[in-house]
Amino acid sequence: MKKVFYCLIFFLYLLPVYSQDYSYKVFSEDGIYVRNIKNDKYTEKLVLKFKEKQPPYINYYNNNEKVLAFDTVTASIDNEAIFYELDKATCELKELYRVKLRYPEIESIIFTGNEIYCIEYEPNENNYFFTKRFLSSSEVKEKTELEISKQTMYSIYIVDCFFYNEYLVINYKDNKIDCFSIVSKNDGKELFYGKGKISFNDEKLPLFLIEDKQKLYRISIEKNQMIKENIKMSISDKEEIAFIKYCENFYILTLCKWKKSDFLTRFLFDVKKTPVWSMYICKLKGNEIVDKKELKKE
C-alpha cells in the first residue's frame, strides 16, 4: 500500500512537468483572442471584441494591464505615426497622440506599461537613435545614439527589438540578410554583432539564435562574452525556423514552408511565394529538440 501511495505522489509531482497546458494572447483585426494549448491541440477564444474592425497593419504591444497600438499607415499622408491605447471598457482604440515621421522614422517599439521606447532612424544623419516617451506625452524624454554594424551605406530594416537584462537586442535586415546587434541600454554602444535572428523568451533564460534559417543555437552572455551552443533538431530542406517560444515547461517551434503564389497574387502584388506556417510543441533535452509534435487546432 505504501508503495502505491509513493508512486502516486511521484506521478503527481511529475505531472506538471510533462503536461502541455499554456495560454497566451493573440491579436487580430476583430479583437483579442486567448490561445490555449493542451497537449498537441489548441483552441482560440475571443475575449475582447473591438468596437470596430481594425486594419491588418496595426501593431499591438501588450503589457498585462495595458495594450498599446501603433499605426504608421493611416496617417502616412501627413507623415505621422499614431499611438493608441486600448480602452477595455468601451473596446475602442483611443488615440493618445501623433508623432511626426519626417524626420525621424519610427522603426520598432518596446512597451513597458507607462513608457514607450522606440528605435528611430534619422536620414539626415544616416543614424539610429533609441528614444523614450511616456503614455501621457509625445515629448521625447531620453535619446541615445545607437551603434549598429551594417554593410550597406544606406538604412537597414529594423525587424524588432527587446530588452534582455542590461542589453537592448535588435534584429534587422542588412541587404536582405538577417542580422542582430546587442547594445548597451545605457550608452547604445554595440557589444555583439552577428548574422541570424535572435528569438526572445524571458530575461531569466538564454536566448535562441536562428542562423541560415535552419540552424538553431542557444546563446548566453557571461562576463562580456557571448557563448553559443548548437541545438540539434530534425528539419527538412524545405522548412525554415521562424520562431521558438518558451511556454513554462515546453516550447512552441514555428516553422515555415514556401509555396508558389496563385496567379492573381503574383499578377496584382508581384509576390512569387507565399509562406505556409506550422507550429510544433517540443521539449529541449540538453542540446537537442525532442518530442516534436505538430500543434493542430481543435
Side-chain angles (χ1 to χ4, degrees):
M1 188 68 183
K2 283 186 178 180
K3 286 184 179 179
V4 174
F5 174 76
Y6 287 127
C7 286
L8 180 62
I9 294 296
F10 183 68
F11 173 75
L12 292 173
Y13 176 77
L14 288 180
L15 190 61
V17 178
Y18 288 99
S19 65
Q20 283 87 24
D21 196 348
Y22 185 77
S23 299
Y24 60 95
K25 292 178 182 177
V26 178
F27 292 88
S28 73
E29 297 172 28
D30 56 344
I32 302 174
Y33 289 79
V34 167
R35 179 178 291 168
N36 180 256
I37 297 171
K38 192 164 187 178
N39 297 322
D40 57 352
K41 301 282 193 305
Y42 74 91
T43 57
E44 289 182 348
K45 181 181 179 182
L46 182 65
V47 293
L48 190 149
K49 186 176 182 180
F50 293 146
K51 190 173 182 180
E52 296 179 357
K53 191 173 181 179
Q54 300 301 318
Y57 47 76
I58 297 285
N59 293 321
Y60 299 95
Y61 303 87
N62 178 45
N63 185 266
N64 296 326
E65 297 179 0
K66 298 178 181 179
V67 174
L68 178 76
F70 178 60
D71 175 10
T72 58
V73 177
T74 303
S76 60
I77 296 174
D78 298 322
N79 294 301
E80 291 178 319
I82 311 174
F83 288 91
Y84 300 91
E85 185 178 7
L86 176 63
D87 187 330
K88 293 183 180 178
T90 62
C91 301
E92 291 179 286
L93 293 180
K94 294 193 173 180
E95 185 175 321
L96 290 171
Y97 47 72
R98 300 185 178 211
V99 176
K100 286 290 183 183
L101 285 178
R102 188 174 291 176
Y103 290 106
E105 299 172 0
I106 295 176
E107 298 271 343
S108 190
I109 291 175
I110 298 173
F111 178 52
T112 62
N114 289 313
E115 298 105 355
I116 303 171
Y117 295 90
C118 302
I119 293 181
E120 304 187 27
Y121 175 62
E122 295 193 359
N124 294 335
E125 301 183 39
N126 192 24
N127 217 339
Y128 290 84
F129 294 86
F130 193 57
T131 60
K132 175 183 176 180
R133 294 178 177 86
F134 291 99
L135 280 177
S136 56
S137 171
S138 63
E139 181 185 354
V140 175
K141 295 297 183 181
E142 294 179 12
K143 184 177 180 180
T144 306
E145 185 174 350
L146 293 175
E147 190 179 85
I148 305 175
S149 294
K150 57 180 183 175
Q151 303 301 316
T152 177
M153 292 174 58
Y154 308 103
S155 64
I156 54 179
Y157 172 66
I158 305 291
V159 178
D160 60 19
C161 63
F162 54 86
F163 289 136
Y164 182 68
N165 300 319
E166 66 266 34
Y167 309 105
L168 170 66
V169 180
I170 305 165
N171 286 310
Y172 62 96
K173 286 188 179 291
D174 186 0
N175 238 357
K176 298 182 180 180
I177 298 172
D178 288 331
C179 298
F180 70 89
S181 178
I182 301 177
V183 306
S184 167
K185 279 200 298 189
N186 297 324
D187 57 16
K189 297 294 182 185
E190 188 174 66
L191 304 171
F192 307 101
Y193 156 79
K195 293 182 180 180
K197 180 174 67 175
I198 292 182
S199 186
F200 173 68
N201 285 284
D202 189 292
E203 289 191 355
K204 298 176 183 178
L205 299 171
L207 298 166
F208 286 101
L209 172 64
I210 302 165
E211 243 182 42
D212 299 325
K213 303 185 185 298
Q214 286 199 319
K215 298 175 184 176
L216 184 65
Y217 298 89
R218 178 169 47 198
I219 61 174
S220 56
I221 301 171
E222 297 177 9
K223 297 179 180 179
N224 292 327
Q225 285 189 328
M226 191 174 74
I227 302 167
K228 190 165 90 171
E229 299 175 276
N230 181 42
I231 302 294
K232 297 177 183 178
M233 63 175 293
S234 59
I235 182 172
S236 73
D237 294 337
K238 295 181 179 180
E239 290 178 314
E240 296 178 0
I241 304 170
F243 308 101
I244 181 164
K245 175 182 175 64
Y246 176 70
C247 304
E248 293 183 355
N249 61 349
F250 64 100
Y251 290 86
I252 299 176
L253 179 67
T254 304
L255 302 180
C256 171
K257 285 183 180 179
W258 295 89
K259 70 173 185 178
K260 188 177 181 180
S261 300
D262 58 73
F263 173 77
L264 194 61
T265 303
R266 295 199 307 272
F267 179 75
L268 292 177
F269 305 105
D270 193 29
V271 176
K272 297 178 181 178
K273 291 183 179 181
T274 305
V276 179
W277 306 97
S278 300
M279 292 193 300
Y280 298 84
I281 56 170
C282 57
K283 293 180 182 179
L284 185 60
K285 186 177 180 181
N287 286 348
E288 185 175 4
I289 295 287
V290 297
D291 300 337
K292 192 174 82 172
K293 297 178 183 177
E294 188 171 1
L295 195 55
K296 296 181 180 179
K297 191 173 183 177
E298 283 188 349

